[in-house]
Amino acid sequence: MSTRSPTILSVDPTNPQPDAIAEAARVLAAGGLVAFPTETVYGLGARALDRTAVARVFQAKQRPRAHPLILHLSHPEQARAYARAWSAEAERLAEAFWPGPLTLVVDRTGAVPDTVTGGGATVALRVPAHPIARALVAAVGEPIAAPSANRYQTVTATTAAHVLKSLGADVDLILDGGACPGGIESTVIDVRAARARLLRPGGVDLAALRRVAADIDVEAPAPVLETDAVRPSPGMDAKHYAPRARVVLAGTRRDAEREALARRTEGAVTALVTRGEPAEDVVTAGLALHVLPDEPRGYGRALFATLHACDDAGADVIVVEAPPADEAWLAVRDRLRRAGS
Ligand code: TXA
Ligand code: MG
């Protein structure tokens, strides 16, 4: 681990400067780690075929080796080299959503190093849509293994500043392309069986998936498993995405307001996150107020940045007005539930 600070290059998110991409590709080729924006969140990338570099990703994140990484590809056709079987359902989903925020879990070929998959027989594949991510994977000419660019079990990074705060000198280069447009990680789907199975709700919502997939197995809510032994996707850890502050979910806006006021009265530095303007007594009570959009995309885009902001402001408690129960809010609810557990 070096004590130097990472190099940060500012990059145009729509039209990335070729010299910045070439520099990042050089760092990756030399076995370094590069954080880069995707359409979902920032990734912490290493050359996937470089075992030593991939091992450094786990070390930098302080993530257990058994938690597999996603392979980021430049083109859907590349998937065939890493997937032992490619079902009709996989083909339909890739065709509809790649490039984009969908990750497909398939049986892997021998071309995928054990370090990437944690020794497992499957691999997660995704073709990102963000121009910086696409340019970088294309420049490297090989897949990039990248988890989200935050330390294990802490809040996901959606800006370069979040990456720097979380990983510091453990990343060699950060491509700063501004805030990620999606703000929530990709949807992860297991497409090994005839019936596709949702492993993690994310950037592609269920309504969109259902328009394409023949059938999707959604255990609602997605199971939160407590042990290492039987977890179908390691991201299903109960504790995940957790800020330093305690997150408390409250049923209605008024419940959330009352809870926040009570915490404030007890002397806790309290943040309140709602989906609409709070009542007058709350506005004047000295709480940190965060009013997020009342629709799932806008809310998802702002969620992790809001949790980071609450932590940065020294909040002890973050009281959140629970999101609606309907399916469109599944990914948001999932992240909030884990942040609070
Ligand atoms: O949007 C995203 O997916 C971001 C960007 C950087 O691409 N990446 C990301 O990576 O969120 P990470 O490592 O933080 O989360 C990957 C998720 C985890 O829930 C992991 O358990 C699951 O994908 N996963 C990876 N490989 C898997 C596999 N072979 N089988 C089942 N789940 C897998
Ligand atoms: Mg993550």
Side-chain angles (χ1 to χ4, degrees):
M1 252 180 247
S2 101
T3 50
R4 293 182 310 125
S5 25
T7 306
I8 302 176
L9 293 178
S10 184
V11 187
D12 182 340
T14 51
N15 211 347
Q17 292 82 345
D19 54 342
I21 299 298
E23 174 60 18
R26 266 196 299 278
V27 170
L28 289 171
L33 304 187
V34 173
F36 60 97
T38 78
E39 69 279 21
T40 58
V41 303
Y42 272 74
L44 175 64
R47 246 186 77 224
L49 307 183
D50 179 340
R51 284 157 209 269
T52 313
V54 171
R56 283 189 64 208
V57 170
F58 286 94
Q59 205 177 12
K61 268 194 75 108
Q62 295 162 9
R63 164 152 145 167
R65 305 275 157 143
H67 288 215
L69 306 181
I70 297 173
L71 284 196
H72 295 70
L73 312 174
S74 63
H75 198 276
E77 253 89 89
Q78 249 189 320
R80 308 300 177 98
Y82 304 101
R84 198 148 53 76
W86 192 249
S87 64
E89 191 79 314
E91 181 60 26
R92 271 193 296 275
L93 289 165
E95 168 100 2
F97 298 109
W98 281 357
L102 181 71
T103 295
L104 298 177
V105 171
V106 294
D107 284 317
R108 70 177 171 115
T109 64
V112 182
D114 279 345
T115 37
V116 169
T117 65
T122 61
V123 66
L125 305 173
R126 139 166 152 82
V127 179
H130 194 294
I132 294 177
R134 297 204 79 186
L136 186 59
V137 187
V140 171
E142 284 172 14
I144 295 178
S148 54
N150 55 281
R151 293 228 199 259
Y152 182 56
Q153 293 186 330
T154 67
V155 181
T156 305
T158 58
T159 68
H162 299 156
V163 177
L164 187 62
K165 183 174 71 161
S166 188
L167 296 172
D170 291 337
V171 51
D172 299 301
L173 174 67
I174 302 174
L175 294 178
D176 181 356
C180 297
I184 281 204
E185 296 90 337
S186 62
T187 302
V188 182
I189 297 208
D190 182 343
V191 286
R192 289 175 302 152
R195 191 168 182 220
R197 176 155 177 248
L198 180 71
L199 296 180
R200 177 178 74 178
V204 175
D205 69 17
L206 276 171
L209 287 171
R210 287 211 174 93
R211 281 196 287 274
V212 174
D215 191 15
I216 297 186
D217 179 7
V218 182
E219 293 172 42
V224 174
L225 304 173
E226 306 287 349
T227 70
D228 270 358
V230 290
R231 174 192 302 134
S233 185
M236 287 179 170
D237 271 352
K239 179 177 155 53
H240 216 107
Y241 316 109
R244 196 190 40 75
R246 193 176 146 68
V247 175
V248 177
L249 280 176
T252 65
R253 180 161 323 145
R254 197 55 200 158
D255 291 342
E257 290 172 346
R258 288 209 185 95
E259 180 71 28
L261 290 172
R263 301 283 177 146
R264 174 86 184 89
T265 306
E266 289 164 9
V269 177
T270 306
L272 174 63
V273 181
T274 60
R275 288 178 288 109
E277 289 304 325
E280 194 53 38
D281 59 330
V282 178
V283 172
T284 53
L287 303 164
L289 297 178
H290 298 269
V291 180
L292 269 46
D294 195 14
E295 48 83 24
R297 271 187 191 282
Y299 192 106
R301 189 175 303 127
L303 176 58
F304 288 134
T306 302
L307 297 181
H308 276 289
C310 293
D311 265 355
D312 293 348
D316 300 310
V317 186
I318 307 171
V319 181
V320 183
E321 173 189 0
D326 58 279
E327 214 172 75
W329 289 84
L330 189 63
V332 163
R333 277 205 311 280
D334 170 78
R335 301 308 189 272
L336 275 174
R337 193 159 44 85
R338 290 166 209 269
S341 62

